[in-house]
Amino acid sequence: MHIIVVGAGEVGSYVADRLSREGHDVAVIDVDEARLQQVAQDLDVLTVAGSGTHPATLRQAGLERCDLVVAATSDDEVNLVTSMIAKQGGVESTIVRIEAPELMSDEAEEVLKASGADLVIDPDSETAKKVLDILEYPGASEVASMLRGEVVVIGARLSDDAPLAGMRLSEVAARYEPEWQFLVGAITRGDETIIPRGDQMLEAHDLLRVVCRRSARREIVELLGLARDIPKRIILLGGGRTAFMLADKLSARGAEVVLIERNPGRARFLAERLDHVLVLQGEITDVSLLIEARIEQAGAVVALTGEDHANVLACLYAKMSGAQETVAVTHNLQYLKLLDEIGIDSAISPRTASANGVLQFVRGVAQVQTFLTGDAEVLEFEVADGSVADGATVAELNLPKEALIGAIVRDGKAQIARGRSSLRKHDHLVLFAMPQAVDEAARLFA
Amino acid sequence: MGLIASALLDLLDGGDDALAMGLMGVAAIAVAAALLKTRRLNHHPRTGQSLTILLLVWVTAIGIGTAVYLVTGTFSGRGFWSAFSDSLFESASGFTTTGMTALPVVEEASRGVLAFRAISNWLGGLGGLTVAVAVLPFLTGTHSLSSDPDRTHGALRSIAPSSRRAMRNILAIYGGFSALLVVAYAATGIGVFNAFAYGLSTASTGGFATNTNSLWGENNAGAEWVAIFGMFVAGTNLAVLWWGIRGAANSVWKSQELRLYVFATTIGVVVTSIAVAANDGALISRQAVFAVASTISTTGLRAHDWEAWHPGATTLLFVFMAIGSMSGSAGGGFRWLRIRTLLAFIRRDLLSRLYPKSVLVVKIDGRPIAESVVQQLVGYLVLYAGFVLAGAYAVALFEDGFRRALIAALSAVSTTGALVGVPSAEQLRVGERAVLVPLMIAGRLAILPVVVSAIRLLDRIAARTRSTLAGRGYTETVPGGRRA
Amino acid sequence: MSDPLIKTVGRFESTFGVILGLALLFIGGGMMLPVAVEIISGGDDVIELVVSAAAFLALGAIIRSNSTIGDTRPASVFAGVAGTWIFVSVLGALPYILTGITERAGVGFGTEMADAIFESVSGFTCTGSTVLTNLPDLGDPDPQIGRGVLLWRQLTQWFGGMGIVALVLAVLPAMGVRGVGFLAAEAPGPAAGRLVPRLSETAKRLWYVYTAVTVLIALLYTLAGMGLYDAFQHAFTTAATGGFSPYNDSVGEFDSVPIEMAAIAGMVIGGINFSLHYRTLFRRDLGAYARDHETRSYLTILLVAFVLIMLPLWLASPFSFGTSVRTAAFNTATLGTSTGFGNAQGAGTPGDFVQWIPSGQMVLLVLMFIGGCTGSTSGGLKVGRFRVMGLLTERSLRQARHPHAVIPVKIGRDVVPDNMVNGIAGFTLTYLAFASAGTVLVAMLGTDFLTALGGAVGSMGNMGPALNNVGPTNTFLDSFSLTARMVLAFLMIVGRLEVFAIALMFTRPSRLLRQRLPMRVRRY
């Protein structure tokens, strides 16, 4: 597949990276030549300097043989126009990044239709959604809703006093007969991530990915040793779009929200638009300001500024002061492991959130979740009519070793998959897999 | 303005003074016509100028009213100056919707005069409404304080997009409401004429009565309930009423000012009821409700002897009197919207003391209020309090009761009128009246126009004096020059 | 738990405890003075006073030794200062209770105790309203109340004048810069900035100046013809602009023009910013007063008020010119500085201002609101704030004429920054809100409107005498019910601590933030 990515910013370059690693031909367009040079150095892609709104530039990037254009600049108008030109140039599909909520509303549907966009992504609101998910499962480091929210995949580190620590998976399974409520889909221990088998032993500090039915999610949280109160008092550090959306949603849910923003003008803007949110103005690394915000009484501290080091420092301080839960937004993924090590509860990357959407689109699967730590993926499949899987049980399927079926949703009802579960056409599956096994597994359902 | 006044004057031809009033009406029309001919209204007067025009309109109306009372000889018998002071006071009290009367025995006045009093109330109310809805919000910075939850451009704009249409709507609501009250009063059996008079003075929150003992003298429970309803509604914001009529009940209740108004009324009724019950065993909450409605709408119709009540109740009534009605209503006082905004300001201030680095915005109905507007509001509070206190000082020069002086001044500035502790106006000395008349006018016009006009006048005098002085300096150096 | 960087073992991390403990120690030490006087004068309350002093010292020592400096965020600062004041005021009632001076026929012990607390609060807050009806007359051979207790009563005002917390900060250099909030929360601290770089040193010097001023005023009194004992008794409450007097007719007891003049001078001095006194006394900078805008406005206000009171008194009432000037000057000074001395020799004499023609009382009511200068020992809104409010009014008038005008609020050549203007406006509004709520509440407890208004405004401004039934010749006993007196005592502390310490002590910030709670709090 030949793919053009317009915009070599955080989102654009990450998407380009992922796509090129998956074996696609990628061309990246950006007006900023310095940034392009950096991209050309880091990634195996073609770089073209210029604006995506100029047909000539697009043609230079290979518009005629192109299958997909991803317009991912931070400028809504540029993205829309790019998509329009691409469609006129005969490109089959386009993905457009939109930030303005006004353009996402029903009234603006015609505009989006006119631009020909097949998929709209909004990294900020994706990030906000992820943070909300994590706050809903205090203690979890990653949370993903799958299959229209019927099942949830929770990523969490097993604590010392968790009931599951020190048990074999088969023992766990035996204990929860006859009906399983959850299933451990992937384990990361140290640097290594594996898809576990029944004889796998669970140890404290293992990072587990557990799939469970939504209705059973509270028990699971307890089993993992994560039972904490849902945070009532939330401190948001940084006042960008993501923080704005979060503050709005959280305070509407009845949480007490304190937001810290550096820019006085922006702070005033936020204070005017957000009801019941206390906006403080100052640097998030200013300890006296954090004390003023009563950070030690925070149920959760979410650091959302554009500066990783500030986010991490503030979260560390919060953790040390006694804040329950800390979430840091990190743009640089290289230090992820470190964050976990020093006690920050979860890290969120705005780029992965939207990149997942693009990957799903490219692969043609319903949903893909990747995790920041470890390269295991969680995928969503539909069993196609006449595929190998249609009519077989899970055990008969002969899945590759690095893949595991986690849950099956039939007619809107979810159940945790086991060896004897049978599959039928139009069933939806949640599959844990290492990247190398994805294609092989996919063939079984196609 | 003169035109409207005189046209209405012609309408009242009942009673003994028909001829005199008819003549006055013709004269007023003539004057108005002459004025209209010579003076064409500048379409874009400067702000200061328009404030002065506003003041002049009232002064003219009061002047005409004074002339009417003089010509009809309503206050004859004690010499011209006494009659003049009585007439002036009665006229000012009427056109400012205050409702203190200088008539010793109201029933003795002719029906024509009584009707004129009611109409002066009504016109004063309409004028006040126009000022409150259309003119002042833009001057006092309260335009961003409008009570309508959905629009942003002031109460007037929320009623209709063009100011002419809005004025027509205001007139329609006000007229309709007055007519409704007249009918309701008539239905209680107090007589058609009385119903007409009470209807007009209730809708305008004026408070003139056709009985020396005010509504009390009518001795009619039904009429009192009508008055309660009328006063309460007259004290609400016209924009809110408009939305209520249009059926947008949801957005009406979103108005924080309305909620506060209703909340305060409820508290007042409860407290006063307890006080009344404590005083004379027989619990008649009608008294309490009436008193609260009368003060909170700054109408000032009396129905019972409030003086004898528990001090807690009367004190609360004084507070209501000071705060008065909702913004954009025919009533007067400091107004609940400003109180609501100041409360929000206090809340913000307390929070910012706990969080010195916080950025907090004063909001009303979910909309942010600009800092400058809030500060202006604080300035207005000081001005209002200053007027009441200075007025009280001046009144007290002629009084021996401190409390009476304070309440009289408060009653005049809030245009409430006859109330607890306020001596009936016939007992007031000339000096007191001289103080109260400007206080009433200031109160009716929300103070600013009066003060600004005074400053303009002083400026002009200062400039004139300066130029005169300069002129004299010139003449002195040149022998034989002009002399001032 | 506040500053996670400070680890403490075995003690409560409570700045409140540190300050309260030290305050109790100080006051207990100060109580030695009444004890000494009582012994010398041969009174019979020695044991009671010693017990009270011991109670202060013991409690202070226990609390102090068990707490260390902790949280210094605004919320805890306000709570700490308010807590200290309430605790000290209540405990200060101990000598009154033990010596039984609030005993009256026909009331129970509870009422007596409440009265003692009222007297103590009125003392520490420098209000000067009293419930004591049996104060001695001048030269009484067998007074019902001993000199020791009377001195304690005066001393409470002296301690309250410059501020208990300021006193504590003076000996607590460990607080460092974190004490700023405490000093500010206790109101009449050094508004003109620090006198010297170190905060505790500043607090110390303020207390030096305060003591020096007190001695100076005592000297004035002696020159005017008072005995040494009376001079010091009155100097304590004059410098503090408190208004307690050991005599039944207050300063009027002496009926002497020189003494009244000395009192006027003393009160006016007490109403001026003490950092200016510091500059005059320790830096020999006499021009400091003339350069200070607030002092100039303060003197102007007093002068205008004097004229506005004197003229109607002279022209429209039977007073002679001399009497009018004397009584107008004294009462302008006493209410314009929130002191509250009286110069009446009984109800109906010229000094009894509630019998004046009402215009004069009107002016006094306004004076009660305004009070003295910032950084002085007086109460009320303070002249500096009043001026800013005036400027704000002027600006809104000018903006009514010229809607687009940009008009900064300026004092002299200095522009008052917007957030400070907002702070002052916020303070004034909160103050007014408390005063009006207090008036309504007191009226509901059965007091007539004017007395309730005077009582509430007077208590908030730490005046002492008020309007109508609580004039300079009355006590608070007859006109207010017991509950109303407690409400007033509360208002006194509210006023002394300039509203916020109390207002914020009882508010949870989350409640403030959330104007109305959402219909249902969803779990998520």
Side-chain angles (χ1 to χ4, degrees):
Chain A
M1 226 191 219
H2 186 90
I3 300 170
I4 299 178
V5 177
V6 181
E10 195 181 344
V11 176
S13 51
Y14 183 72
V15 165
D17 185 27
R18 289 293 297 259
L19 290 172
S20 85
R21 274 168 201 258
E22 299 219 337
H24 303 287
D25 295 334
V26 180
V28 176
I29 297 178
D30 200 290
V31 278
D32 186 345
E33 295 207 27
R35 210 188 290 163
L36 274 184
Q37 247 163 32
Q38 188 65 40
V39 169
Q41 238 171 57
D42 297 344
L43 314 178
D44 186 14
V45 297
L46 167 75
T47 57
V48 180
S51 166
T53 56
H54 299 164
T57 319
L58 284 173
R59 214 170 302 123
Q60 217 177 326
L63 187 67
E64 47 291 331
R65 59 200 142 93
C66 174
D67 307 296
L68 172 69
V69 170
V70 181
T73 69
S74 54
D75 191 330
D76 290 349
E77 288 76 13
V78 168
N79 293 343
L80 284 174
V81 172
T82 305
S83 164
M84 218 178 286
I85 294 170
K87 280 278 159 145
Q88 278 168 4
V91 175
E92 194 180 328
S93 18
T94 58
I95 297 176
V96 173
R97 171 181 174 185
I98 298 284
E99 287 190 347
E102 290 78 8
L103 283 173
M104 309 282 247
S105 66
D106 295 343
E107 295 162 56
E109 212 187 319
E110 289 302 313
V111 179
L112 287 183
K113 207 177 270 176
S115 77
D118 298 276
L119 178 72
V120 173
I121 55 172
D122 177 10
D124 290 341
S125 77
E126 293 287 333
T127 314
K129 255 184 230 153
K130 282 212 138 185
V131 175
L132 281 176
D133 276 343
I134 285 182
L135 292 180
E136 199 170 344
Y137 297 90
S141 56
E142 286 161 314
V143 175
S145 295
M146 308 281 292
L147 298 170
R148 297 214 183 83
E150 283 299 323
V151 296
V152 185
V153 177
I154 301 172
R157 204 164 276 285
L158 213 51
S159 66
D160 288 321
D161 48 358
L164 292 184
M167 288 171 82
R168 262 175 219 293
L169 279 179
S170 49
E171 291 167 26
V172 178
R175 184 187 284 194
Y176 291 96
E177 289 290 355
E179 194 170 6
W180 290 356
Q181 296 294 331
F182 66 97
L183 185 134
V184 177
I187 301 175
T188 305
R189 185 179 299 163
D191 285 337
E192 199 190 352
T193 301
I194 54 163
I195 304 292
R197 299 280 125 187
D199 56 352
Q200 180 67 42
M201 180 79 132
L202 297 178
E203 286 172 19
H205 306 296
D206 277 354
L207 182 57
L208 307 184
R209 271 69 182 236
V210 179
V211 61
C212 68
R213 301 230 307 268
R214 194 170 184 81
S215 52
R217 62 193 196 275
R218 296 226 57 90
E219 300 162 39
I220 306 311
V221 170
E222 253 164 62
L223 282 176
L224 295 173
L226 303 172
R228 296 186 195 168
D229 290 332
I230 285 176
K232 292 260 168 350
R233 188 163 193 286
I234 295 157
I235 299 182
L236 303 177
L237 308 176
R241 279 187 71 231
T242 315
F244 180 86
M245 288 186 266
L246 269 177
D248 199 30
K249 290 230 169 67
L250 287 171
S251 72
R253 289 174 176 191
E256 185 190 339
V257 181
V258 180
L259 191 155
I260 298 182
E261 161 63 33
R262 162 165 55 188
N263 180 335
R266 175 75 185 171
R268 168 121 196 139
F269 171 88
L270 291 169
E272 283 178 3
R273 294 218 174 18
L274 292 166
D275 285 330
H276 316 314
V277 171
L278 179 67
V279 181
L280 303 180
Q281 187 255 315
E283 295 285 344
I284 70 161
T285 44
D286 176 1
V287 167
S288 69
L289 190 63
L290 297 180
I291 291 178
E292 185 181 320
R294 295 193 294 138
I295 201 155
E296 77 283 357
Q297 289 164 25
V301 173
V302 186
L304 302 141
T305 68
E307 290 155 19
D308 284 356
H309 55 274
N311 290 345
V312 169
L313 274 178
C315 277
L316 274 181
Y317 182 81
K319 199 74 196 170
M320 188 180 65
S321 305
Q324 256 189 44
E325 177 100 9
T326 50
V327 180
V329 163
T330 40
H331 305 265
N332 185 340
L333 296 176
Q334 293 159 20
Y335 295 111
L336 268 180
K337 213 165 105 25
L338 194 65
L339 294 188
D340 190 50
E341 217 77 332
I342 58 180
I344 288 173
D345 294 298
S346 38
I348 287 179
S349 162
R351 51 177 98 164
T352 51
S354 38
N356 285 341
V358 177
L359 286 185
Q360 282 160 32
F361 187 85
V362 172
R363 292 189 189 165
V365 293
Q367 198 179 357
V368 178
Q369 288 290 340
T370 56
F371 297 101
L372 290 180
T373 331
D375 36 8
E377 291 181 0
V378 184
L379 303 105
E380 212 181 294
F381 284 105
E382 186 182 349
V383 178
D385 204 352
S387 64
V388 183
D390 186 6
T393 65
V394 172
E396 294 163 4
L397 260 185
N398 214 356
L399 275 167
K401 244 179 92 177
E402 293 91 3
L404 176 66
I405 295 181
I408 305 165
V409 175
R410 184 175 299 160
D411 306 326
K413 267 198 64 179
Q415 68 178 99
I416 301 298
R418 357 192 9 176
R420 58 171 186 265
S421 308
S422 61
L423 299 172
R424 256 190 267 146
K425 58 187 172 189
H426 307 308
D427 279 357
H428 289 264
L429 307 174
V430 172
L431 182 86
F432 289 88
M434 302 305 282
Q436 61 268 30
V438 170
D439 282 341
E440 195 184 337
R443 254 175 264 128
L444 295 173
F445 308 113
Chain B
M1 262 307 167
L3 193 75
I4 308 169
S6 44
L8 277 158
L9 267 182
D10 271 344
L11 288 176
L12 13 127
D13 282 348
D16 313 327
D17 302 319
L19 184 66
M21 297 193 77
L23 278 176
M24 275 306 299
V26 173
I29 289 179
V31 171
L35 271 177
L36 279 180
K37 218 165 201 180
T38 49
R39 285 235 160 176
R40 202 180 295 142
L41 193 67
N42 186 348
H43 271 287
H44 293 286
R46 276 180 302 138
T47 319
Q49 228 168 10
S50 57
L51 289 181
T52 309
I53 291 172
L54 208 58
L55 178 63
L56 286 179
V57 168
W58 251 268
V59 171
T60 315
I62 290 169
I64 293 173
T66 311
V68 169
Y69 290 121
L70 276 178
V71 170
T72 55
T74 313
F75 297 98
S76 56
R78 279 188 295 163
F80 174 75
W81 284 112
S82 164
F84 176 76
S85 98
D86 282 348
S87 304
L88 179 64
F89 186 82
E90 192 76 6
S91 173
S93 175
F95 280 107
T96 58
T97 72
T98 308
M100 289 190 218
T101 182
L103 284 171
V105 185
V106 177
E107 293 89 335
E108 282 177 6
S110 71
R111 288 203 151 188
V113 170
L114 291 181
F116 178 73
R117 286 167 84 233
I119 287 176
S120 72
N121 261 181
W122 196 80
L123 285 176
L126 180 61
L129 206 53
T130 319
V131 171
V133 173
V135 186
L136 273 187
F138 297 95
L139 299 177
T140 49
T142 41
H143 53 283
S144 55
L145 284 182
S146 90
S147 270
D148 138 53
D150 300 323
R151 312 293 165 102
T152 44
H153 296 296
L156 177 74
R157 295 278 177 259
S158 79
I159 292 171
S162 85
S163 54
R164 182 169 294 186
R165 280 258 310 280
M167 277 314 299
R168 210 183 301 150
N169 288 339
I170 289 174
L171 202 63
I173 299 176
Y174 188 56
F177 177 57
S178 310
L180 183 75
L181 279 182
V182 171
V183 172
Y185 270 123
T188 64
I190 56 169
V192 174
F193 178 75
N194 283 348
F196 168 73
Y198 280 119
L200 292 195
S201 58
T202 308
S204 62
T205 75
F208 268 150
T210 57
N211 193 305
T212 313
N213 286 325
S214 195
L215 202 60
W216 203 357
E218 307 294 344
N219 204 8
N220 184 326
E224 283 171 29
W225 280 116
V226 171
I228 289 168
F229 165 77
M231 293 189 291
F232 181 77
V233 174
T236 50
N237 189 330
L238 202 70
V240 170
L241 272 186
W242 173 251
W243 285 107
I245 292 168
R246 296 284 297 272
N250 226 353
S251 56
V252 167
W253 190 238
K254 261 191 227 154
S255 159
Q256 288 180 331
E257 187 192 14
L258 182 71
R259 287 198 216 178
L260 188 63
Y261 182 67
V262 173
F263 176 72
T265 312
T266 318
I267 293 280
V269 167
V270 170
V271 168
T272 327
S273 297
I274 293 171
V276 174
N279 250 38
D280 44 295
L283 178 122
I284 310 166
S285 60
R286 191 179 74 227
Q287 293 189 10
V289 183
F290 191 95
V292 170
S294 178
T295 42
I296 210 168
S297 63
T298 72
T299 308
L301 276 174
R302 273 183 299 133
H304 303 277
D305 185 16
W306 303 334
E307 193 65 57
W309 287 0
H310 187 277
T314 41
T315 304
L316 197 65
L317 292 181
F318 296 150
V319 173
F320 282 169
M321 207 158 96
I323 297 176
S325 52
M326 281 173 74
S327 65
S329 75
F334 188 69
R335 293 169 190 282
W336 288 99
L337 182 58
R338 297 203 176 95
I339 291 290
R340 186 68 193 77
T341 314
L342 292 181
L343 285 179
F345 185 81
I346 290 179
R347 182 184 137 264
R348 194 268 294 265
D349 190 61
L350 289 180
L351 257 181
S352 70
R353 268 163 225 275
L354 285 181
Y355 298 102
K357 284 174 193 150
S358 56
V359 180
L360 299 155
V361 180
V362 178
K363 287 184 198 169
I364 290 293
D365 295 345
R367 275 202 315 278
I369 309 290
E371 287 302 308
S372 61
V373 173
V374 182
Q375 286 182 0
Q376 268 186 348
L377 210 55
V378 176
Y380 182 75
L381 173 70
V382 177
L383 203 61
Y384 188 85
F387 250 77
V388 173
L389 292 175
Y393 177 80
V395 172
L397 288 173
F398 308 94
E399 265 288 341
D400 14 79
F402 182 14
R403 182 178 124 148
R404 274 165 47 133
L406 194 58
I407 305 297
L410 184 58
S411 185
V413 175
S414 68
T415 73
T416 308
L419 264 185
V420 207
V422 179
S424 63
E426 35 141 357
Q427 299 166 3
L428 292 171
R429 299 186 194 148
V430 177
E432 282 172 88
R433 290 189 196 159
V435 176
L436 288 181
V437 166
L439 283 187
M440 290 192 280
I441 300 175
R444 174 73 281 181
L445 295 179
I447 296 176
L448 277 177
V450 176
V451 182
V452 170
S453 302
I455 294 173
R456 268 163 56 90
L457 192 67
L458 287 178
D459 275 0
R460 204 163 289 178
I461 291 172
R464 187 71 54 82
T465 323
R466 232 175 290 133
S467 67
T468 324
L469 285 179
R472 198 171 62 197
Y474 179 72
T475 50
E476 272 166 7
T477 50
V478 181
R482 293 174 300 152
R483 291 219 165 229
Chain C
M1 147 96 231
S2 66
D3 207 333
L5 301 174
I6 297 177
K7 294 267 183 285
T8 27
V9 188
R11 288 171 153 194
F12 293 106
E13 229 182 54
S14 157
T15 322
F16 169 46
V18 175
I19 288 183
L20 177 61
L22 275 173
L24 291 176
L25 283 175
F26 260 111
I27 295 169
M31 220 181 242
M32 290 305 160
L33 192 60
V35 171
V37 168
E38 188 74 4
I39 292 173
I40 294 169
S41 69
D44 40 14
D45 295 332
V46 178
I47 295 178
E48 284 88 343
L49 286 172
V50 169
V51 168
S52 316
F56 265 93
L57 291 174
L59 263 177
I62 291 170
I63 295 173
R64 172 69 188 95
S65 58
N66 282 308
S67 36
T68 57
I69 296 169
D71 195 353
T72 52
R73 268 175 299 184
S76 19
V77 167
F78 283 124
V81 170
T84 304
W85 272 81
I86 292 173
F87 197 96
V88 165
S89 310
V90 170
L91 198 64
L94 201 58
Y96 304 137
I97 296 172
L98 289 179
T99 57
I101 61 166
T102 51
E103 272 173 28
R104 275 178 293 140
V107 297
F109 180 65
T111 313
E112 260 172 48
M113 219 162 76
D115 281 340
I117 290 174
F118 179 91
E119 194 73 11
S120 173
V121 170
S122 169
F124 277 109
T125 58
C126 289
T127 308
S129 312
T130 185
V131 289
L132 297 181
T133 47
N134 50 357
L135 286 170
D137 292 321
L138 186 60
D140 192 339
D142 181 27
Q144 289 184 22
I145 301 174
R147 289 192 158 189
V149 183
L150 286 178
L151 183 60
W152 164 245
R153 201 165 151 261
Q154 306 297 88
L155 267 184
T156 54
Q157 293 210 321
W158 194 69
F159 276 122
M162 188 43 75
I164 310 170
V165 175
L167 185 58
V168 168
L169 289 180
V171 295
L172 207 60
M175 281 292 283
V177 68
R178 287 179 294 177
V180 172
F182 286 89
L183 211 51
E186 203 194 28
R194 295 177 205 183
L195 306 177
V196 283
R198 285 197 168 277
L199 188 78
S200 77
E201 190 61 28
T202 302
K204 212 178 273 176
R205 299 214 178 169
L206 278 176
W207 268 89
Y208 289 156
V209 185
Y210 187 44
T211 315
V213 167
T214 311
V215 172
L216 198 80
I217 292 172
L219 216 64
L220 272 178
Y221 277 129
T222 331
L223 286 178
M226 262 193 200
L228 201 61
Y229 165 76
D230 286 336
F232 266 98
Q233 283 277 43
H234 284 95
F236 281 141
T237 54
T238 311
T241 67
F244 269 157
S245 165
Y247 297 115
N248 214 357
D249 277 340
S250 192
V251 176
E253 191 80 33
F254 299 93
D255 196 8
S256 141
V257 175
I259 286 181
E260 280 177 27
M261 279 165 62
I264 291 172
M267 292 187 288
V268 171
I269 289 174
I272 293 177
N273 193 335
F274 271 71
S275 55
L276 294 177
H277 294 320
Y278 172 80
R279 267 184 236 156
T280 316
L281 289 174
F282 290 82
R283 301 244 173 97
R284 294 170 207 289
D285 176 13
L286 268 174
Y289 297 119
R291 280 197 308 272
D292 186 58
H293 289 280
E294 190 179 12
T295 310
R296 293 210 303 237
S297 328
Y298 164 70
L299 295 176
T300 316
I301 288 173
L302 286 183
L303 204 65
V304 170
F306 165 68
V307 173
L308 284 178
I309 292 172
M310 193 274 283
L311 283 180
L313 276 189
W314 175 36
L315 297 174
S317 69
F319 296 161
S320 71
F321 179 71
T323 316
S324 305
V325 170
R326 177 176 163 188
T327 192
F330 187 85
N331 285 297
T332 306
T334 195
L335 290 186
T337 62
S338 85
T339 310
F341 280 140
N343 71 335
Q345 284 82 38
T349 53
D352 186 12
F353 60 74
V354 289
Q355 308 275 345
W356 289 356
I357 72 159
S359 291
Q361 299 182 44
M362 191 61 238
V363 179
L364 291 183
L365 178 67
V366 175
L367 282 182
M368 282 190 191
F369 262 112
I370 301 175
C373 298
T374 26
S376 75
T377 56
S378 65
L381 274 177
K382 303 278 170 355
V383 173
R385 296 207 184 93
F386 184 74
R387 232 186 109 146
V388 171
M389 292 302 283
L391 291 172
L392 214 53
T393 313
E394 186 197 333
R395 179 168 74 172
S396 66
L397 276 177
R398 283 211 262 166
Q399 277 173 342
R401 262 183 95 180
H402 309 288
H404 299 291
V406 175
I407 307 158
V409 175
K410 279 203 228 171
I411 298 264
R413 280 191 195 158
D414 301 327
V415 175
V416 185
D418 224 31
N419 58 351
M420 199 187 276
V421 172
N422 277 341
I424 288 172
F427 170 79
T428 312
L429 292 176
T430 319
Y431 191 90
L432 289 178
F434 264 92
S436 0
T439 306
V440 174
L441 194 59
V442 171
M444 281 181 187
L445 292 168
T447 314
D448 71 282
F449 167 63
L450 212 53
T451 312
L453 176 70
V457 173
S459 298
M460 284 281 290
N462 304 137
M463 294 300 139
L467 302 173
N468 210 15
N469 293 333
V470 280
T473 63
N474 312 97
T475 66
F476 271 41
L477 210 50
D478 317 314
S479 312
F480 299 107
S481 68
L482 184 68
T483 330
R485 288 205 295 277
M486 289 299 105
V487 171
L488 291 178
F490 177 73
L491 286 181
M492 288 175 197
I493 298 188
V494 169
R496 176 61 185 78
L497 297 183
E498 302 214 312
V499 181
F500 293 114
I502 298 289
L504 293 174
M505 192 168 104
F506 298 111
T507 17
R508 286 201 43 224
S510 47
R511 284 281 301 153
L512 266 184
L513 188 62
R514 192 157 285 275
Q515 281 167 294
R516 45 174 196 274
L517 285 162
M519 291 306 176
R520 62 204 152 88
V521 178
R522 250 177 61 190
R523 286 179 64 82
Y524 55 92

